[in-house]
DNA sequence: TCGGCATGCGACCGACCAGTCATATGACCG
DNA sequence: CGGTCATATGACTGGTCGGTCGCATGCCGA
């Protein structure tokens, strides 16, 4: 958690630091990311940085568990609880793609929880985030079963397979759709024009069809 | 590519270096991995290492494009071409799980191509390996379509979704099945006892059912 | 006006890294 | 024997890193 001083900072200064940190951690792995770079680019002396955060991990953890999820929720909004299960799944997927296209760097950080690393604290952090995501998806799927949308002999296995489809799988598909590398996308602020709402709906629908009926549908 | 000197090395010395390199690159990201560690653990002076390889990347590339695939092919063997498409897919998946269980470190290196990194040369290498894998899977799926096993409106999208299922998705499922973290698995030489051929067949079958019929099957 | 406290700051520290280089070794040849 | 060539070796270089420390600054209430 950031130190109290951080929250007392002038907005402009704090924002500069946060944006540069998001940029750095989106473009590089935790291990590759450099505090010195973040400090330099946000024009905040390293000594000052340590007035705001305990250390590199403290900043990274705050971004992954607080700042990024907050912004993601704000963007994605609530997927209506009143709808049919398959529609909700499709909405979830469409919103996920929208987030990726409109806020690529936040989306990348959001996905960073799947990154491998030898640093044990980071691994623990990543694992906790992954498990939370799995749990959320699992509860959605449980409601799907309850509503009779489908049956699953092993909901754990099903959850994990669906999770990889709507996570890395769809990211892969979207990047191919955009005809761009992840790092090109990260450098761009918005790819609205190249993957608008209509096309996203089509892709989301295809994905749901695949999850629902597989290849043989 | 390794320098000629490398191939003239006494087997024992060469093997020691290769094994320690595989261990290091399996447990750590390319950026995290340390040549100094590899050298120290394989009791080969750093100066000598540079007689065998151009640099760190040269070693990593050789492992990922030559040594590991060679060992993987040797282990996995050929999946019979004469069989039914769905059977071949199931075999492919079962062999993949077997490889993961019997040679966790090689399997991890094999999957490292999906790791993100800011190092441009490594990104190029990883991308090339990923594309080759996608291409291979795509040609399998093409045969599936040709044989009438299924239809796919967009084979590119289908290929990528199937790839993430049988890649990260199944790894995830297997780890859960083993009740272990990836790093615990890497430390173990063989998990034969905890995920034998019979159980692997069951899981592979489930996975194929999911790919074939989705959740709604 | 003064003193104290939160904050700003950048030079600095020790650790580690990838990669180099000068020197040493020893097998083979004339 | 002397000479050459492939190879072995580890101290060393230059650089980056995360993190610290001691001093400077400026706002506060008294």
């Amino acid at each position: 958690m950031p130190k109290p001083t951080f929250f007392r900072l002038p907005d402009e200064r704090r924002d500069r630091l946060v944006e540069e940190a998001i940029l750095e951690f989106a473009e590089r792995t935790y291990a590759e990311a450099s505090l010195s770079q973040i400090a330099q680019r946000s024009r905040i002396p390293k000594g000052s940085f340590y007035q705001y955060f305990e250390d590199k991990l403290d900043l990274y953890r705050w971004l992954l568990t607080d700042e990024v999820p907050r912004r993601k929720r704000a963007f994605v909004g609530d997927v209506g609880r009143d709808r049919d299960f398959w529609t909700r799944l499709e909405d979830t997927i469409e919103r996920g793609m929208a987030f990726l296209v409109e806020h690529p760097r936040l989306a990348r950080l959001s996905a960073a929880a799947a990154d491998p690393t030898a640093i044990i604290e980071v691994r623990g952090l990543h694992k906790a985030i992954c498990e939370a995501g799995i749990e959320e998806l699992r509860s959605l799927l449980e409601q799907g079963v309850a509503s009779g949308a489908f049956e699953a002999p092993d909901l754990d296995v099903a959850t994990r397979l669906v999770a990889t489809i709507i996570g890395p799988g769809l990211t892969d598909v979207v990047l191919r759709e955009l005809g761009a590398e992840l790092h090109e996308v990260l450098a761009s602020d918005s790819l609205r024009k190249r993957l608008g709402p209509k096309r996203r709906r089509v892709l989301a629908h295809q994905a749901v069809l695949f999850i629902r009926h597989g290849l043989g549908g």
Side-chain angles (χ1 to χ4, degrees), chain A:
Chain A
M1 266 294 149
K3 303 180 181 179
T5 313
F6 175 69
F7 297 107
R8 276 183 238 122
L9 241 35
D11 286 3
E12 197 259 339
R13 188 179 169 93
R14 193 177 51 235
D15 290 350
R16 242 171 37 220
L17 176 58
V18 172
E19 291 316 306
E20 289 298 338
I22 287 174
L23 187 60
E24 178 78 3
F25 284 121
E27 284 183 342
R28 316 176 108 82
T29 298
Y30 176 82
E32 290 168 344
S34 152
L35 271 194
S36 302
Q37 283 292 326
I38 296 174
Q40 206 167 315
R41 286 212 272 256
S42 58
R43 300 188 314 279
I44 285 173
K46 258 170 72 176
S48 298
F49 171 84
Y50 284 90
Q51 306 260 13
Y52 313 144
F53 291 91
E54 292 296 337
D55 51 24
K56 185 183 177 184
L57 180 61
D58 193 28
L59 166 61
Y60 186 66
R61 183 174 32 223
W62 178 72
L63 286 176
L64 257 63
T65 62
D66 285 74
E67 185 64 5
V68 171
R70 200 171 53 69
R71 297 197 193 184
K72 180 170 185 176
R73 276 195 309 272
F75 177 86
V76 168
D78 258 350
V79 175
R81 295 202 163 269
D82 49 331
R83 319 281 285 281
D84 158 60
F85 168 76
W86 296 110
T87 310
R88 282 177 65 189
L89 186 60
E90 191 175 310
D91 286 351
T92 305
I93 290 173
E94 191 277 336
R95 295 316 292 155
M97 287 192 299
F99 188 56
L100 175 59
V101 168
E102 301 280 342
H103 299 288
R105 292 186 288 264
L106 294 176
R108 168 70 196 107
L109 243 75
S110 212
D115 289 0
T117 173
I119 301 155
I120 190 156
E121 297 90 349
V122 177
R123 228 159 56 212
L125 172 61
H126 284 185
K127 192 193 165 197
I129 294 170
C130 282
E131 290 306 320
I134 287 279
E135 213 41 59
E136 201 177 328
L137 181 63
R138 197 195 144 91
S139 98
L140 176 64
L141 294 192
E142 264 166 10
Q143 292 169 37
V145 171
S147 73
F150 66 95
E151 292 170 27
D154 189 330
L155 197 60
D156 266 329
V157 168
T159 305
R160 286 182 140 74
L161 294 183
V162 173
T164 59
I165 292 175
I166 71 182
L170 269 183
T171 302
D172 211 30
V173 168
V174 166
L175 287 180
R176 181 168 184 85
E177 178 84 14
L178 294 173
E181 307 290 319
L182 178 59
H183 271 71
E184 301 173 51
V185 172
L186 289 179
S188 150
D189 249 322
S190 164
L191 281 59
R192 209 169 329 229
K193 296 146 205 158
R194 283 204 271 165
L195 185 58
K198 279 182 75 171
R199 182 67 185 143
R200 291 201 304 259
R201 276 247 91 87
V202 171
L203 283 178
H205 193 69
Q206 272 189 34
V208 167
L209 281 184
F210 180 82
I211 291 171
R212 191 168 181 178
H213 298 123
L215 290 176

